[in-house]
Amino acid sequence: SCSTGSIQCCQSVQSANSTAIAPILGVLGIVVQDVNALVGLQCSPINVVGVASGNTCDANTVCCENNAVGGLLSVGCLPVTL
């Protein structure tokens, strides 16, 4: 279950201060208070009902606080086990 939004399938999940994520956050003007917060890249929502019928995530299944950047990245992610 995900109390902060939909469960996401992200191709990559890294800390906000990583060399791959920090420049993207800077360009988008997104300030993350916790530099160790996990950020997901290239995320798409997962329908939990669909998981039971074979709609699986082959990358990183996470629950994120802020998915407002249109799937490019999601901020404040926590791993989810389906």
Side-chain angles (χ1 to χ4, degrees):
S1 132
C2 182
S3 62
T4 59
S6 63
I7 295 174
Q8 303 280 315
C9 180
C10 299
Q11 296 305 309
S12 174
V13 177
Q14 300 180 30
S15 64
N17 66 350
S18 74
T19 55
I21 302 290
I24 296 170
L25 293 173
V27 167
L28 295 173
I30 299 172
V31 176
V32 177
Q33 298 299 323
D34 180 2
V35 295
N36 294 315
L38 293 178
V39 176
L41 285 176
Q42 295 176 312
C43 302
S44 57
I46 295 177
N47 181 338
V48 175
V49 173
V51 169
S53 63
N55 181 9
T56 60
C57 175
D58 293 330
N60 301 281
T61 308
V62 293
C63 176
C64 304
E65 291 177 9
N66 182 353
N67 303 314
V69 192
L72 172 63
L73 61 90
S74 297
V75 179
C77 299
L78 296 173
V80 173
T81 302
L82 298 178

